[in-house]
Amino acid sequence: MVHKSDHYLQAYLVGGAVRDELLGRNVADRDWVVVGSTPEEMRRLGYEQIGNEFPCFLHPVTKEEYALARTERKSGAGHKGFVCDFDPNITLEEDLIRRDLTINAIAKNDSGDYVDPCGGIDDLNQKVLRHVSPAFVEDPLRVLRVARFAARYKDLGFSVHASTLELMNQLAQQGELNTLTPERVWKEISRALTEPNPSEFFRVLKACDALGKILPELDALFGVPQTAQYHPEIDTGEHVMLSIDYARRAFNDALITYAVLLHDLGKGITPRELWPKHIDHENLGLPLSDAVSKRLRVPKDYRELANAVTKHHLRAHCLQEMKPSSVLRLLEDLDGFRRPVRVEQFIAACESDARGRLGLENKPYPQAQYLLTALHAAKSVDVQPLLDKGYRGLDLAEQLRQIRIKDVKKALKEHVCD
């Protein structure tokens, strides 16, 4: 496992590469731990040092990451409150036991033998996500990481060990999650949205009482009933979980899945006496959706799509009953003529909402093609003849809009007939 040019370095393959190899999964990135070396020696051998928190290097040829074996000592609050020691006398075992989960604390030497001081291979076989040591509680970021691994490996049958869930709850109750920066929280959430079962990320956070600390607006949806006629799953939180899993399977786009995650936040503030109806929840949810995105400091396109889906998803479901002028107004609100991809993302999120319902996963959603047909018709209108006739400014805009309405009406009529 050691590159020939580095035959005198004690380098071990570690972490996700070993874990995924044992699980029979594709290994995307390979990380190495070097025992008995120093930063000076690594640089002398041509390795490029990266990062400031601890000595990590890029191999001069493969560009794979090599980190010096290290230990960590808690020195302050949060996931950055550690002092690292990378003395060359630190052993591989000492490096491995500082890690979060046993399945991430396995190394492989150059002979192909595994070094497994924490029982990670047994936990892989038992399909258990288990903490390495009580030091787990020193890093609140591990709560989100464990939840993300649960979302990744749910299909393989993995679950979080009860003792680990208890430590995660301890971190949540002690307020340690409040020390995480918005950027770090968002990084974990955005990565979770790309895992095979993103709902498991939020379910695990819910199970250890961390969801209310990270996303209280989402946490508030669990236990809120909806009308069974439209939502056989009843519970609003369950509906959102079904919807984001559908979005992940069907579209595999974190942008779309994030919009689906926030689309029903307004139902969390419906007065109990109005349950199971949620009148005007789309407008009530808009400031909540916007607030979450700003608090997490998500990219602008994520916030804009989430707000659009929150505000307009009911209109999408009713497209075929809307007047052509109303369909055009929706396209205008989505900025669809300048950003047609936004319309595609919007209707994909709305489809995920419609199909994220118990037993309705395969129900047809003709609204998607209906809206795209309207967009194509409206975009196809040529403005040049109007300019040739002398129309300018507001007059031009109004004439263009009237022609677009007529063309949308014609296209949708033909679409229905087909």
Side-chain angles (χ1 to χ4, degrees), residues 158-279:
F158 276 80
S159 61
V160 182
H161 193 272
S163 62
T164 303
L165 205 62
E166 184 177 338
L167 293 183
M168 293 165 68
N169 175 262
Q170 180 180 326
L171 280 164
Q173 296 304 321
Q174 291 176 345
E176 282 290 305
L177 297 176
N178 296 331
T179 66
L180 298 175
T181 65
E183 291 83 0
R184 202 64 183 86
V185 173
W186 168 241
K187 184 176 181 179
E188 291 299 320
I189 291 175
S190 62
R191 294 176 71 181
L193 295 176
T194 67
E195 300 292 1
N197 292 277
S199 67
E200 191 66 10
F201 175 81
F202 300 101
R203 293 185 191 280
V204 168
L205 293 183
K206 177 73 175 173
C208 69
D209 294 327
L211 185 59
K213 308 296 190 299
I214 298 295
L215 283 173
E217 300 88 348
L218 180 64
D219 188 58
L221 299 182
F222 289 89
V224 174
Q226 305 164 106
T227 306
Q229 177 184 355
Y230 303 108
H231 288 278
E233 71 285 347
I234 306 295
D235 187 280
T236 305
E238 290 300 315
H239 161 58
V240 173
M241 296 298 99
L242 291 171
S243 296
I244 63 173
D245 281 349
Y246 180 88
R248 168 61 179 83
R249 291 194 305 271
F251 305 107
N252 192 22
D253 185 333
L255 186 65
I256 294 170
T257 308
Y258 177 72
V260 177
L261 181 71
L262 303 191
H263 82 280
D264 262 352
L265 293 184
K267 293 181 179 179
I269 58 175
T270 300
R272 284 176 172 264
E273 59 269 20
L274 299 181
W275 289 356
K277 295 182 178 180
H278 297 278
I279 300 171

Side-chain angles (χ1 to χ4, degrees), residues 266 270 278-286 314:
T270 300
H278 297 278
I279 300 171
D280 203 34
H281 75 273
E282 66 277 18
N283 290 314
L284 293 172
L286 184 55
L314 291 187

